[in-house]
Amino acid sequence: MWTDAKAEVGEASGSRASIRRRVLNSLLLCAGDMGYLDKYMQDKLFVLQLAVSGLRGVTRVILANNPLSGALILAALFWASPWQGLLGTLGVLVSTLTAVIMGQDSTEVSGGLHGFNGMLVSLLMGVFSSAGDWYWWLVVPACLGSATCVFLYSGLSSLLDRWDLPVSVFPFNITILLYLLCTGPNNPYFPHHTVMPPGALEPNDTKLLTVEVTRGIFLGVGQIFACGALGPSLLIVGAVLLYSPLLAVHALLGSAVGTLAGLSVAVRHDSLYSGLLGFNGALGCMAVGGLFFTFTWRTHLFAIASAFLSAYADIALSNLLGTVGLPACSWAATLTSTLMLLLTGSLATYRIPVGQVMAPEHNLRSRTQWEAGNTAERESTDVLTFI
Amino acid sequence: MWTDAKAEVGEASGSRASIRRRVLNSLLLCAGDMGYLDKYMQDKLFVLQLAVSGLRGVTRVILANNPLSGALILAALFWASPWQGLLGTLGVLVSTLTAVIMGQDSTEVSGGLHGFNGMLVSLLMGVFSSAGDWYWWLVVPACLGSATCVFLYSGLSSLLDRWDLPVSVFPFNITILLYLLCTGPNNPYFPHHTVMPPGALEPNDTKLLTVEVTRGIFLGVGQIFACGALGPSLLIVGAVLLYSPLLAVHALLGSAVGTLAGLSVAVRHDSLYSGLLGFNGALGCMAVGGLFFTFTWRTHLFAIASAFLSAYADIALSNLLGTVGLPACSWAATLTSTLMLLLTGSLATYRIPVGQVMAPEHNLRSRTQWEAGNTAERESTDVLTFI
Amino acid sequence: MWTDAKAEVGEASGSRASIRRRVLNSLLLCAGDMGYLDKYMQDKLFVLQLAVSGLRGVTRVILANNPLSGALILAALFWASPWQGLLGTLGVLVSTLTAVIMGQDSTEVSGGLHGFNGMLVSLLMGVFSSAGDWYWWLVVPACLGSATCVFLYSGLSSLLDRWDLPVSVFPFNITILLYLLCTGPNNPYFPHHTVMPPGALEPNDTKLLTVEVTRGIFLGVGQIFACGALGPSLLIVGAVLLYSPLLAVHALLGSAVGTLAGLSVAVRHDSLYSGLLGFNGALGCMAVGGLFFTFTWRTHLFAIASAFLSAYADIALSNLLGTVGLPACSWAATLTSTLMLLLTGSLATYRIPVGQVMAPEHNLRSRTQWEAGNTAERESTDVLTFI
């Protein structure tokens, strides 16, 4: 029953629709990409535009694009830790502003594409810092790191454009590794925790707790924002659900697959309980299952394969980078998603050009109509989508 | 006296050729690419097609493409170790089947292009496993790893197509490193040996044995299939000889160059005796000497340079990856061959487009005819070859 | 007062200009790219052409292109250490000759583009060698390494051409790391020093000496040629000044920025004093400030940003590679410059196509004339420059 909100509203206003339908429509207005908001915001104050861009940027981290979901996620982060929430907000604002100053494409800026990498860098600097909360000096590297992401985003987009690939979170992954390498665990100004690889041996054999593992699957979605508490993680799942139920299902599925992959190579129990093994699987699964590809049972199978690849690659990279005390961040999911987008063969026929990616339900509806022979709408949108 | 088998056969059947010539022709039918087999196989059983594709895949590892050579190589692997032979067969079948299921290009599949990476992954998992032979659980990662290679092959081919570069064994090299990183030496399910870098110091100065070093040169060709016994290695050289004598000569030459490079930087004697230093040189030498470039004395010199580059790069990468207990596999040869294919200048004029690469003798004959002014055939084949 | 020498000379010869102006013109003839020399050299002896190409190659290291600057730099290197000077000369000659033999583009060869990587490899092999000066065996790897650079330069140029990116010092950075990995610190034939990362902790807290830090800024420019003495470093600055005052200013500015970056993350004092922290900043600053982009206050700001990025990336990479005893060379500046060239947005509008890069003052004059409405010259040069 999930359909394009705007179209429905257009019809509803001119017909004798029931009140129930109107309520549903109001709800649907808040779901999906909320693209109609962009037109409405055009002549508003810059600060308001910046806020919407920032909130869109917050959701881009989790492959969504909806300002209300962004507000929910920010709330979850402030709930988990006010200092983390503040750093995240700072990061998204600084990088969006840097993009404006550097004269980046305004559609990209208002779509939040320049905010999410900066947010993650800022957030993770706070998480890895061993100087404790409210260590205000951390604001300096957080601002510099967020600004660096804009340089990397812009440069990498020129590079990846040749294959119509998204930049996704490459800038974040590069910047945070450089920051951690720059400072080192014993730095007098910016000390940070070292990371224990998931393949490290446990001191003594402890029994695996099923409840904790199940909890870890939900935490896996929260760990995309480096959030390790159950309540905020569930709120983040809710935020994704608001944008697209299909994406939320794939997020949880991917996190479960990641946990399964971890069990199969006997990782430390801690990394299963904390959800750290799930988030790469979740991202890998979401990217393929509905977002960059039209959802069908075939892409669903590929999404599961992508989740497994992401999860195993994450364990491998974590073990590798762990030898020098570094985290693998979301390298595995980013590389795997890029690989899936490059695939030839049957998956490639379902691929949506990066510039036209919207909420999975929107993509799905376009294709369903197209297959039903709805040629009128097809000519206007689908021809572009399925060239 | 090496000429195109098919043409000869065509002439022979209509002429009063001697019996001796007929025997030679039958032999030549088994040499080279055996391209006529593809037409013959078109309407045969799927299992038969799969077998031929698999055998072609086996030879692709060593840059050849001939089902009979593949059968010889498989025999050599089963001779060296039945468990290894079984794993190799499993790998090539699983990855070829995965490619069929994933809807990859059927010409690529039947040419064995989706089999060789999977075979190597499966084979090397067996070699590095410290759980001993007939440890049946290893079949699970072997199947998953082989399937992963198809994803990587397909994705990388989209990437490298822009420069008309072959994917070669990049997928194998990536997958095996990820597998070894995932599990680690002390993994309870899939333990494996750690690797000692060739640059490690020897406990005490021992005298270098010339006989052993010479033996290592022949083993170097076998080590392309991770085979460290002399008999099977010689059988593998024989299999290459059947496909193309020129390639076999370059294989041994490259292996010798690799050994020479190793001597010049004083590596451990073990790595010289085992042939581990020779196989990257062999692959680097084969790729340039006749396969991707028309054979002339100029390309021959470049082939020797490529062998040296591959060998030194292999020692460097082995020392680097050895610090985290990983092998350098065939990264060096793969990267060097890719570099040689990208070269501009005099070497580039001899380059054969990747889609038209055949047995070196075939390439050589085309060029000889072309230089002799045989314009009739030139128009049909060489125009495409030397654009 | 810096203008295009050739144009001035052309006007001067036909007018009643004062003697003072003639002296200035003679000076200006030696500045900038000295492009008129190429026409003059066309029919001269090969040895003479090779010498000029070599001297141009020497200056390419520091992003300049002027044979007289090259002679000054060589003098500085021989002053600092005759053995180093000899190795550098050998490197530039061997790699230029290899390029001629390999049939590389003759314009590139005469422009010195195939010389600078070989020179740096040869120079750095001498610096890292722990066998002392005048260890003649080192000539063998120096020659092989220099020749390898030509292979890498040619291959990488095919790769990077797609984005109109220069190969810059990627070949040097790759080759020197491979050499150091091949041999290792305790190699019996080619031993070398290990490198201490800048993030290593100091034995006890010593006071930072301001004079030494200031000295380090000047040494930073010299360290581009691995030269750690003040006199020769100043001579190198002078050589850059001869080519382009703007470039010299940016070199010192970048070195200062690098030192500042080092202070902000509390690196070892030694790496500040030796200038090792400054040279990546200097290179990053020079590339953006005037060379690959027309000089304006905007590109000047981007140049400072580039210097900071280069410097921080250098500290990070030095700490990473230091864990296996390797130096970060100029990876950071090379990667950062490449990133800046890929940037979209306001910086991209000032970008000069790689094939048309000349001395910053020449680029600046072209743009000034263009903005003043000098359409006559604009049509001949600027149309190409600002497509």
Side-chain angles (χ1 to χ4, degrees):
Chain A
M1 270 304 294
W2 192 268
T3 45
D4 191 17
K6 287 167 291 172
E8 293 277 302
V9 169
E11 289 162 25
S13 59
S15 69
R16 287 172 220 132
S18 65
I19 293 170
R20 206 182 145 194
R21 193 169 179 184
R22 276 165 194 268
V23 171
L24 184 66
N25 282 337
S26 309
L27 253 170
L28 288 177
L29 266 175
C30 306
D33 294 294
M34 293 180 73
Y36 61 90
L37 203 69
D38 289 340
K39 262 187 201 158
Y40 176 77
M41 295 299 294
Q42 263 171 350
D43 49 354
K44 290 291 174 298
L45 273 178
F46 174 72
V47 177
L48 220 64
Q49 286 184 20
L50 184 68
V52 173
S53 299
L55 289 176
R56 281 192 188 278
V58 170
T59 52
R60 289 277 184 183
V61 172
I62 201 159
L63 305 174
N65 180 13
N66 178 316
L68 287 178
S69 299
L72 280 179
I73 291 169
L74 265 194
L77 292 179
F78 272 102
W79 178 12
S81 152
W83 171 238
Q84 285 295 316
L86 188 78
L87 277 177
T89 314
L90 182 78
V92 78
L93 289 179
V94 166
S95 57
T96 305
L97 277 173
T98 310
V100 172
I101 292 166
M102 275 174 63
Q104 295 295 310
D105 184 64
S106 64
T107 324
E108 283 187 0
V109 172
S110 67
L113 284 172
H114 287 287
F116 65 107
N117 279 292
M119 182 195 184
L120 275 173
V121 165
S122 196
L123 214 56
L124 268 286
M125 280 182 181
V127 169
F128 285 113
S129 169
S130 59
D133 279 8
W134 310 108
Y135 177 69
W136 287 100
W137 280 111
L138 203 64
V139 168
V140 181
C143 288
L144 288 177
S146 301
T148 303
C149 285
V150 182
F151 284 85
L152 283 166
Y153 192 95
S154 177
L156 288 176
S157 72
S158 304
L159 212 64
L160 295 170
D161 250 12
R162 296 290 162 109
W163 294 275
D164 191 31
L165 291 172
V167 178
S168 63
V169 283
F170 280 117
F172 149 67
N173 283 310
I174 295 169
T175 311
I176 193 72
L177 282 194
L178 288 180
Y179 167 72
L180 292 177
L181 279 168
C182 254
T183 52
N186 304 310
N187 192 277
Y189 305 153
F190 308 109
H192 59 75
H193 304 292
T194 46
V195 176
M196 186 172 277
L201 288 183
E202 308 228 47
N204 48 15
D205 244 334
T206 50
K207 223 186 130 204
L208 193 72
L209 303 165
T210 322
V211 183
E212 290 284 305
V213 171
T214 317
R215 197 166 156 268
I217 292 175
F218 287 93
L219 288 180
V221 181
Q223 286 287 9
I224 295 175
F225 289 92
C227 165
L230 189 60
S233 290
L234 288 175
L235 192 54
I236 290 172
V237 175
V240 180
L241 201 68
L242 176 66
Y243 174 64
S244 154
L246 204 56
L247 218 52
V249 169
H250 276 99
L252 289 172
L253 180 68
S255 186
V257 164
T259 307
L260 204 65
L263 285 171
S264 75
V265 293
V267 297
R268 280 188 308 117
H269 294 173
D270 272 5
S271 48
L272 290 172
Y273 299 160
S274 65
L276 277 173
L277 270 181
F279 80 94
N280 270 286
L283 283 171
C285 198
M286 287 159 88
V288 177
L291 192 72
F292 290 116
F293 300 90
T294 314
F295 181 73
T296 60
W297 65 268
R298 228 186 252 257
T299 43
H300 183 64
L301 292 181
F302 274 107
I304 294 171
S306 172
F308 269 109
L309 281 179
S310 299
Y312 281 118
D314 178 48
I315 298 170
L317 292 176
S318 296
N319 284 337
L320 178 65
L321 290 168
T323 58
V324 284
L326 292 174
C329 305
S330 53
W331 274 108
T334 317
L335 288 170
T336 306
S337 306
T338 307
L339 180 72
M340 299 308 278
L341 287 168
L342 281 169
L343 277 198
T344 53
S346 56
L347 185 60
T349 55
Y350 297 103
R351 185 165 168 195
I352 301 160
V354 165
Q356 312 202 1
V357 165
M358 297 191 75
E361 283 75 16
H362 180 90
N363 298 332
L364 191 58
R365 200 175 67 100
S366 305
R367 193 173 179 91
T368 313
Q369 286 180 337
W370 171 64
E371 285 179 350
N374 188 340
T375 48
E377 177 158 334
R378 183 192 159 199
E379 269 159 29
S380 60
T381 63
D382 293 64
V383 165
L384 285 164
T385 319
F386 302 105
I387 282 166
Chain B
M1 271 303 294
W2 193 267
T3 46
D4 192 16
K6 284 167 292 171
E8 292 278 302
V9 168
E11 288 163 24
S13 61
S15 71
R16 287 174 217 129
S18 65
I19 292 169
R20 206 179 145 196
R21 193 168 177 184
R22 275 166 194 267
V23 171
L24 183 67
N25 281 336
S26 308
L27 254 169
L28 288 176
L29 265 176
C30 306
D33 295 294
M34 293 179 74
Y36 61 90
L37 204 68
D38 289 341
K39 260 186 201 158
Y40 176 77
M41 295 299 295
Q42 264 172 348
D43 48 355
K44 291 289 173 298
L45 274 176
F46 175 71
V47 177
L48 221 65
Q49 286 185 21
L50 184 68
V52 173
S53 300
L55 290 175
R56 281 192 189 279
V58 170
T59 52
R60 289 276 184 184
V61 171
I62 201 159
L63 306 174
N65 181 12
N66 178 314
L68 287 178
S69 299
L72 280 180
I73 291 169
L74 264 194
L77 292 179
F78 272 102
W79 177 13
S81 151
W83 171 239
Q84 285 296 315
L86 187 77
L87 278 178
T89 315
L90 182 77
V92 79
L93 289 180
V94 166
S95 57
T96 306
L97 277 173
T98 310
V100 172
I101 292 166
M102 277 174 63
Q104 295 295 311
D105 184 65
S106 63
T107 323
E108 284 187 359
V109 172
S110 67
L113 283 172
H114 288 288
F116 66 107
N117 280 291
M119 183 195 183
L120 275 172
V121 165
S122 196
L123 215 54
L124 268 285
M125 281 183 181
V127 170
F128 285 115
S129 170
S130 59
D133 280 8
W134 310 108
Y135 178 68
W136 288 99
W137 279 112
L138 203 65
V139 168
V140 180
C143 288
L144 288 178
S146 301
T148 304
C149 284
V150 182
F151 283 86
L152 285 165
Y153 192 94
S154 177
L156 288 175
S157 72
S158 303
L159 212 66
L160 295 170
D161 250 12
R162 296 290 162 110
W163 295 275
D164 191 30
L165 291 172
V167 179
S168 63
V169 283
F170 279 118
F172 149 66
N173 284 310
I174 296 169
T175 310
I176 192 73
L177 283 194
L178 288 180
Y179 167 73
L180 293 176
L181 280 168
C182 253
T183 53
N186 304 310
N187 192 277
Y189 305 154
F190 307 110
H192 60 74
H193 305 291
T194 45
V195 176
M196 186 171 276
L201 287 183
E202 309 227 46
N204 48 14
D205 244 334
T206 49
K207 223 187 129 202
L208 192 71
L209 303 165
T210 321
V211 183
E212 290 284 304
V213 171
T214 317
R215 199 167 155 266
I217 292 175
F218 288 93
L219 288 181
V221 181
Q223 286 287 9
I224 296 175
F225 289 92
C227 166
L230 189 61
S233 291
L234 288 175
L235 192 54
I236 291 171
V237 174
V240 180
L241 200 70
L242 176 65
Y243 175 65
S244 153
L246 204 58
L247 218 53
V249 169
H250 276 100
L252 289 172
L253 180 68
S255 187
V257 164
T259 307
L260 204 65
L263 286 171
S264 75
V265 292
V267 297
R268 279 187 309 118
H269 294 173
D270 272 5
S271 48
L272 289 172
Y273 299 160
S274 66
L276 278 172
L277 271 181
F279 80 93
N280 270 285
L283 284 171
C285 197
M286 287 159 89
V288 177
L291 194 71
F292 291 116
F293 300 90
T294 313
F295 181 74
T296 61
W297 65 268
R298 227 187 250 260
T299 44
H300 184 65
L301 292 181
F302 273 108
I304 294 170
S306 171
F308 269 109
L309 281 180
S310 297
Y312 281 118
D314 178 49
I315 297 169
L317 292 177
S318 294
N319 284 338
L320 177 65
L321 290 169
T323 57
V324 284
L326 291 175
C329 305
S330 54
W331 273 108
T334 316
L335 288 170
T336 307
S337 306
T338 306
L339 180 72
M340 300 307 280
L341 287 168
L342 282 168
L343 277 199
T344 54
S346 57
L347 186 60
T349 54
Y350 297 103
R351 183 164 170 197
I352 301 160
V354 165
Q356 311 201 359
V357 165
M358 298 192 77
E361 282 74 18
H362 179 91
N363 299 330
L364 191 58
R365 201 174 67 99
S366 305
R367 192 170 181 93
T368 313
Q369 286 181 337
W370 170 62
E371 284 177 353
N374 188 340
T375 48
E377 177 158 334
R378 184 193 158 200
E379 268 160 27
S380 60
T381 63
D382 293 64
V383 165
L384 287 163
T385 318
F386 301 105
I387 283 168
Chain C
M1 268 306 290
W2 192 268
T3 46
D4 192 17
K6 287 166 290 171
E8 292 279 301
V9 168
E11 288 163 25
S13 60
S15 71
R16 285 173 220 130
S18 66
I19 291 170
R20 204 182 147 196
R21 192 169 178 185
R22 276 165 193 268
V23 171
L24 183 65
N25 281 335
S26 309
L27 252 171
L28 287 176
L29 265 175
C30 306
D33 294 294
M34 293 179 75
Y36 61 90
L37 203 68
D38 289 339
K39 261 186 202 158
Y40 176 76
M41 294 298 297
Q42 263 173 350
D43 50 354
K44 291 288 174 298
L45 272 178
F46 174 73
V47 177
L48 221 64
Q49 287 185 21
L50 184 68
V52 174
S53 301
L55 289 175
R56 282 194 188 277
V58 170
T59 52
R60 289 278 184 181
V61 171
I62 202 160
L63 305 174
N65 179 14
N66 178 313
L68 287 178
S69 299
L72 279 180
I73 291 169
L74 264 194
L77 292 178
F78 272 100
W79 178 12
S81 151
W83 171 238
Q84 285 295 314
L86 186 77
L87 278 178
T89 315
L90 182 76
V92 79
L93 290 179
V94 166
S95 57
T96 307
L97 276 174
T98 309
V100 172
I101 291 167
M102 275 174 63
Q104 296 294 312
D105 185 65
S106 62
T107 325
E108 284 188 359
V109 173
S110 66
L113 283 173
H114 287 287
F116 65 108
N117 279 291
M119 182 195 185
L120 275 173
V121 165
S122 197
L123 214 56
L124 267 286
M125 280 184 183
V127 169
F128 285 115
S129 169
S130 59
D133 279 8
W134 310 107
Y135 177 68
W136 287 100
W137 280 111
L138 203 64
V139 169
V140 181
C143 288
L144 288 178
S146 302
T148 303
C149 286
V150 182
F151 284 86
L152 284 165
Y153 191 94
S154 177
L156 288 175
S157 72
S158 303
L159 212 66
L160 295 169
D161 250 12
R162 296 289 163 110
W163 294 275
D164 192 31
L165 291 172
V167 178
S168 63
V169 281
F170 279 118
F172 149 66
N173 283 310
I174 295 169
T175 310
I176 193 73
L177 282 194
L178 287 180
Y179 167 72
L180 292 177
L181 279 168
C182 254
T183 53
N186 303 312
N187 192 276
Y189 305 153
F190 307 109
H192 59 76
H193 304 291
T194 45
V195 177
M196 188 172 274
L201 288 182
E202 309 229 46
N204 49 14
D205 243 335
T206 49
K207 223 186 130 201
L208 193 71
L209 304 164
T210 321
V211 183
E212 289 284 306
V213 172
T214 318
R215 199 169 155 268
I217 292 174
F218 288 93
L219 287 181
V221 182
Q223 286 287 9
I224 295 175
F225 289 91
C227 167
L230 189 60
S233 290
L234 288 175
L235 192 55
I236 290 172
V237 175
V240 180
L241 201 70
L242 176 65
Y243 174 65
S244 153
L246 203 58
L247 217 53
V249 169
H250 276 100
L252 288 172
L253 179 68
S255 187
V257 163
T259 307
L260 204 65
L263 285 172
S264 75
V265 293
V267 296
R268 280 187 307 118
H269 295 172
D270 272 5
S271 48
L272 290 172
Y273 299 160
S274 65
L276 278 173
L277 271 181
F279 80 94
N280 269 286
L283 283 171
C285 197
M286 287 160 89
V288 177
L291 192 71
F292 291 116
F293 299 90
T294 314
F295 182 73
T296 61
W297 65 267
R298 225 188 253 260
T299 43
H300 184 65
L301 291 181
F302 273 107
I304 294 170
S306 171
F308 269 110
L309 279 180
S310 298
Y312 281 118
D314 179 49
I315 297 169
L317 291 177
S318 295
N319 284 337
L320 178 64
L321 290 169
T323 57
V324 283
L326 291 175
C329 307
S330 54
W331 275 108
T334 317
L335 289 170
T336 307
S337 307
T338 307
L339 180 71
M340 299 307 278
L341 286 168
L342 281 169
L343 277 197
T344 54
S346 57
L347 185 60
T349 55
Y350 297 103
R351 182 164 169 196
I352 301 160
V354 165
Q356 312 203 359
V357 165
M358 298 191 77
E361 283 74 16
H362 179 90
N363 299 331
L364 191 58
R365 201 174 67 100
S366 305
R367 193 172 180 91
T368 315
Q369 286 180 335
W370 170 64
E371 284 177 351
N374 188 339
T375 48
E377 177 158 336
R378 184 196 160 196
E379 268 161 29
S380 61
T381 64
D382 293 63
V383 165
L384 285 165
T385 318
F386 301 105
I387 283 167

